[in-house]
Amino acid sequence: WLTLLGIAPFLGSLLKETISMTIVATLLGRHFYILKPSSHLAYVTLALLFLHTSIGGLLSSFGSSAVMIVKKPWGWDTWHLLSMFALP
């Protein structure tokens, strides 16, 4: 559970966000939801998946569709996004 939710942001930055969510949701379905967690934990897991993947999409200039739209006019590249959202 923790490993899958931990890699979701990195997949979101390397791949498109939707591909990342699909891969991690499929793996969660096969390895986590088969164990029948409580409904609260199941919904919190989905919320964390969406949140982590969306944040991960901001870590590169090609992960998020919104960033791809503004990256050229605003001069954003991967290093700029990492310095704004990930690095202290």
Side-chain angles (χ1 to χ4, degrees), residues 20-68:
S20 172
M21 271 194 236
T22 303
I23 291 170
V24 176
T26 302
L27 291 172
L28 281 171
R30 290 183 181 173
H31 299 287
F32 174 71
Y33 285 107
I34 200 165
L35 301 174
K36 306 283 188 217
S38 68
S39 61
H40 181 73
L41 182 59
Y43 286 118
V44 167
T45 300
L46 282 179
L48 286 173
L49 172 63
F50 294 149
L51 176 71
H52 285 179
T53 306
S54 296
I55 290 171
L58 290 174
L59 297 180
S60 70
S61 60
F62 54 86
S64 170
S65 299
V67 172
M68 290 180 70

